[in-house]
Amino acid sequence: MPGLLERYRAYLPLTPQTPLLSLSEGSTPLISAPRLSAHLGVDLHLKYEGLNPTGSFKDRGMVVAVAKAAEAGADTVICASTGNTSAAAAAYASRAGLKCIVLIPDGNIALGKLAQAVAYGAQIVAVRGNFDEALGLVREISAERPIALVNSVNPHRLQGQKTAAFEIVDELGAAPDILALPVGNAGNISAYWMGFREYRSAGQTDTLPRMWGFQASGAAPLARGLDRVEQPETLATAIRIGSPASAHLARAAVQESGGLFDHVSDDEIMAAYHLVAREGVFCEPASAAPVAGLLKLHAEGRLPSGQRVVAVLTGNGLKDPGSAMRAVQAPAAVDATMDAVLASLA
Amino acid sequence: MPGLLERYRAYLPLTPQTPLLSLSEGSTPLISAPRLSAHLGVDLHLKYEGLNPTGSFKDRGMVVAVAKAAEAGADTVICASTGNTSAAAAAYASRAGLKCIVLIPDGNIALGKLAQAVAYGAQIVAVRGNFDEALGLVREISAERPIALVNSVNPHRLQGQKTAAFEIVDELGAAPDILALPVGNAGNISAYWMGFREYRSAGQTDTLPRMWGFQASGAAPLARGLDRVEQPETLATAIRIGSPASAHLARAAVQESGGLFDHVSDDEIMAAYHLVAREGVFCEPASAAPVAGLLKLHAEGRLPSGQRVVAVLTGNGLKDPGSAMRAVQAPAAVDATMDAVLASLA
């Protein structure tokens, strides 16, 4: 499969001068979920974004943002991030021959989470301040220097992310009835809605999905109708965001599509995470939020049966193996005999 | 893309009764490596097997092995493994509705490495013994119970793994001049060679590649012409094997193709690992062995220029983030001002 810039060139803000940057991002599988479908009474498919090159949906937006930065003559990109964004930025910058600077808030350094960015050759700077201060700094630096900002305020990010909607329509032959996805910074739900609408305008689908956005209960400003949550808390770190940057666009997507926001507890997220794994798909905890949401709405009698539903799994479970191990104890050793092994399984 | 059983059905040992098990494995990208190509004087492509569903090439063989186990009426599969095999076995067993038992040697339990198998729902049994004893036990149990053995002694594993050779030919339009890959248990080099030969018999390629197998210097029985290495040692854990199960087939592949075995040090492996990441591709240390081998042979004047070379990257770097972080120190924090950040980068 060609990369996204080549596959969806006609729908992206490219010029003849834009380098066709690619790490074979996109074209991720849409995997049926037979057991969850039977339980929920719907036809559920999982859009497994964890099989993007750096393991998350962020690659879709970053390939566009970095290609446009290269086109504009930048020799460096910069972002504030401690997670998936930094991995994607570092990978595409390295591929394009650009430098990459990642600012992280001091005191909140999970070195393991930066393993990818480091491997791809990013320069990591820890600043004495919180995430908002780090983001303010990268905005300031990008305004004053020939350094391209690739945080989600960069509009090319959503342009790239909308391609996932195209792929779903291309594979199903039409838009699903419901598109369920995790909501943190709220960029992705906005990008999908943009993608579905553009594809309808282009005659690729007659219908549009209802957009169902699920937040973690401890970080649910949109689902609770708040402007912001001051101290967001959830083990689904990828959606632990109190003040979504794209809140306005996300509210429009839900309203225009006749969709909804709801929130799910960490326990509900982890239960869904294990059910998704039993379908054979290993995702990040945040990715399980839409499945948790579907289970919750089903239990409340609010999930219409017979619908075709796509749940977006935004990241690979390998990004956060600790979550898989948290509930596990080291197995007690048994003697190296068949009887002992079989007895331990009884 | 359909899964492997559907895509390459005509080349696999399937019957009308074989369930078309799939997690959308295979169809992994072949990514050009422009900087390494320029340095080496060849046209190098990286076959990035880390984008398989569980993050390694093992999915190719396991989808066949588990489908055949289900067809044969097994309700359980079993393997001895502490790494990529257990993840693949657990995922496909869960998908097929089978139970999965993973035996691991006690005292050698890296819980993190088992995160995936646990998430997919495998039962883990630690036995008081070494890996060979664990393998002996799973052979014994599978012989006496209706439990299917899915370790690499299962011949369906190589049948599935050969499909990667098909994909390379399908994408390039012909076999490459050289196929370079890491060699541990030696099953994969044997499977690729089988795949290339079958595809030539089917008229899909006129030529065959030379097979270049690279071992880690501390675990290099084939490269050193030994029957076995008693205490294999390398940080590339996926190829830390002293007595390769498929040594005979691998020797035949190298001899028949006019290829070679060689070995590379851990330092050479880690240098290559970082160079591969700078191309934008994050792989396991073991996956960097063939690139390290190409660099070594180039330095020795033994890599002919102008060749089309494919290096197989067998696993995703996210399987072993510790290797990326080993050389990294926590960055010193700087004040949250533009001047301080820019000064720290100087």
Side-chain angles (χ1 to χ4, degrees):
Chain A
M1 270 292 179
L4 289 178
L5 302 195
E6 200 176 334
R7 184 170 181 194
Y8 292 115
R9 170 193 281 273
Y11 298 89
L12 293 171
L14 309 185
T15 75
Q17 284 70 50
T18 313
L20 286 182
L21 189 61
S22 171
L23 289 169
S24 294
E25 61 289 330
S27 301
T28 55
L30 193 62
I31 300 175
S32 68
R35 270 164 281 186
L36 282 163
S37 291
H39 174 77
L40 295 168
V42 300
D43 178 23
L44 176 64
H45 295 260
L46 308 171
K47 180 68 170 165
Y48 188 29
E49 290 286 278
L51 294 192
N52 275 297
T54 78
S56 89
F57 75 102
K58 302 278 186 181
D59 292 338
R60 294 182 183 275
M62 203 57 80
V63 68
V64 181
V66 174
K68 295 301 285 186
E71 179 182 357
D75 71 353
T76 304
V77 302
I78 192 168
C79 66
S81 164
T82 58
N84 291 334
T85 297
S86 65
Y92 285 95
S94 189
R95 182 74 182 177
L98 307 184
K99 290 196 285 279
C100 178
I101 302 167
V102 175
L103 262 62
I104 58 176
D106 184 35
N108 188 18
I109 304 174
L111 271 186
K113 274 226 152 188
L114 288 170
Q116 285 180 282
V118 169
Y120 294 125
Q123 284 186 274
I124 315 291
V125 182
V127 296
R128 296 190 187 96
N130 60 26
F131 180 82
D132 286 343
E133 289 169 290
L135 184 59
L137 273 173
V138 299
R139 282 174 176 268
E140 186 183 347
I141 291 169
S142 65
E144 304 219 358
R145 300 287 167 115
I147 293 178
L149 179 64
V150 295
N151 271 103
S152 58
V153 293
N154 180 322
H156 296 123
R157 294 273 304 277
L158 294 200
Q159 289 292 320
Q161 286 176 29
K162 74 184 179 189
T163 58
F166 300 164
E167 290 179 10
I168 291 170
V169 172
D170 287 344
E171 185 148 350
L172 296 179
D177 300 309
I178 295 165
L179 194 285
L181 73 182
V183 173
N185 214 24
N188 213 27
I189 189 171
S190 308
Y192 269 91
W193 183 237
M194 177 164 63
F196 284 119
R197 281 181 304 144
E198 286 186 18
Y199 235 34
R200 187 180 59 170
S201 297
Q204 301 285 342
T205 176
D206 294 331
T207 62
L208 293 172
R210 277 164 283 155
M211 304 296 288
W212 286 13
F214 294 98
Q215 299 194 288
S217 296
L222 289 160
R224 296 183 191 277
L226 304 172
D227 278 341
R228 62 184 296 142
V229 168
E230 289 300 335
Q231 301 283 350
E233 264 315 321
T234 169
L235 56 71
T237 52
I239 53 173
R240 190 169 62 201
I241 292 169
S243 179
S246 300
H248 181 72
L249 289 171
R251 285 198 195 91
V254 164
Q255 187 174 17
E256 291 167 26
S257 73
L260 57 80
F261 289 116
D262 206 335
H263 59 88
V264 284
S265 70
D266 280 3
D267 284 350
E268 290 170 322
I269 287 172
M270 290 314 294
Y273 168 88
H274 288 292
L275 290 172
V276 169
R278 298 308 169 92
E279 301 276 9
V281 180
F282 189 42
C283 65
E284 275 197 295
S287 301
V291 175
L294 293 168
L295 289 162
K296 177 186 173 184
L297 294 185
H298 172 72
E300 295 172 353
R302 296 163 62 198
L303 178 65
S305 65
Q307 301 279 288
R308 179 178 271 182
V309 183
V310 171
V312 179
L313 308 183
T314 43
N316 197 310
L318 287 170
K319 292 267 196 173
D320 183 10
S323 288
M325 299 309 296
R326 212 164 284 145
V328 177
Q329 299 186 324
V334 303
D335 285 338
T337 68
M338 186 171 89
D339 288 346
V341 170
L342 293 176
S344 79
L345 298 168
Chain B
M1 270 292 179
L4 289 178
L5 302 195
E6 200 176 333
R7 185 171 180 193
Y8 293 114
R9 170 194 280 276
Y11 298 90
L12 294 171
L14 310 184
T15 75
Q17 283 70 49
T18 313
L20 286 180
L21 189 62
S22 171
L23 288 169
S24 294
E25 61 289 327
S27 302
T28 54
L30 193 63
I31 301 175
S32 67
R35 268 164 283 185
L36 282 164
S37 291
H39 175 76
L40 294 169
V42 301
D43 178 23
L44 176 64
H45 295 260
L46 308 171
K47 180 68 171 166
Y48 188 27
E49 289 287 278
L51 294 192
N52 275 296
T54 78
S56 89
F57 75 101
K58 302 278 186 182
D59 292 339
R60 294 182 183 274
M62 203 57 80
V63 68
V64 180
V66 174
K68 295 302 285 185
E71 179 182 358
D75 71 353
T76 304
V77 301
I78 193 168
C79 66
S81 165
T82 59
N84 291 333
T85 297
S86 66
Y92 284 94
S94 190
R95 183 73 183 178
L98 308 184
K99 290 196 287 279
C100 177
I101 303 168
V102 175
L103 262 62
I104 57 177
D106 184 35
N108 188 17
I109 304 174
L111 272 185
K113 273 229 153 189
L114 288 169
Q116 285 179 282
V118 168
Y120 293 125
Q123 285 186 275
I124 315 291
V125 182
V127 297
R128 295 190 188 96
N130 60 25
F131 180 81
D132 285 343
E133 288 169 290
L135 185 60
L137 272 174
V138 299
R139 282 174 176 269
E140 185 182 348
I141 290 169
S142 64
E144 304 220 356
R145 300 289 167 115
I147 294 178
L149 179 64
V150 295
N151 271 103
S152 58
V153 294
N154 180 321
H156 297 122
R157 294 274 303 279
L158 294 199
Q159 288 292 321
Q161 286 174 211
K162 75 184 178 188
T163 58
F166 300 164
E167 290 179 10
I168 291 170
V169 172
D170 288 345
E171 186 148 348
L172 295 179
D177 299 308
I178 294 165
L179 194 285
L181 74 181
V183 173
N185 213 25
N188 212 28
I189 190 171
S190 308
Y192 269 91
W193 183 238
M194 177 164 63
F196 285 119
R197 281 181 304 143
E198 287 187 17
Y199 235 33
R200 187 181 60 171
S201 297
Q204 300 286 340
T205 176
D206 294 332
T207 61
L208 293 172
R210 277 163 284 156
M211 304 297 286
W212 287 13
F214 294 98
Q215 300 195 287
S217 296
L222 289 160
R224 297 184 191 276
L226 303 173
D227 279 340
R228 62 184 297 144
V229 169
E230 287 302 335
Q231 301 283 348
E233 265 315 322
T234 167
L235 54 72
T237 53
I239 53 172
R240 191 169 60 201
I241 293 170
S243 179
S246 299
H248 181 71
L249 289 170
R251 284 197 198 94
V254 164
Q255 186 174 17
E256 291 167 24
S257 73
L260 59 81
F261 288 116
D262 206 334
H263 59 90
V264 284
S265 71
D266 281 3
D267 285 350
E268 290 170 321
I269 288 172
M270 291 313 294
Y273 168 88
H274 288 292
L275 290 172
V276 169
R278 297 309 170 90
E279 301 277 8
V281 179
F282 188 41
C283 66
E284 277 196 295
S287 301
V291 176
L294 293 168
L295 289 162
K296 177 185 173 184
L297 294 186
H298 171 72
E300 295 173 353
R302 296 164 60 199
L303 178 65
S305 66
Q307 300 279 291
R308 179 179 269 182
V309 183
V310 171
V312 179
L313 308 183
T314 44
N316 197 310
L318 288 169
K319 293 268 196 172
D320 183 10
S323 288
M325 299 308 296
R326 211 165 284 144
V328 177
Q329 300 186 322
V334 304
D335 286 338
T337 68
M338 186 171 90
D339 289 346
V341 169
L342 293 176
S344 79
L345 297 168

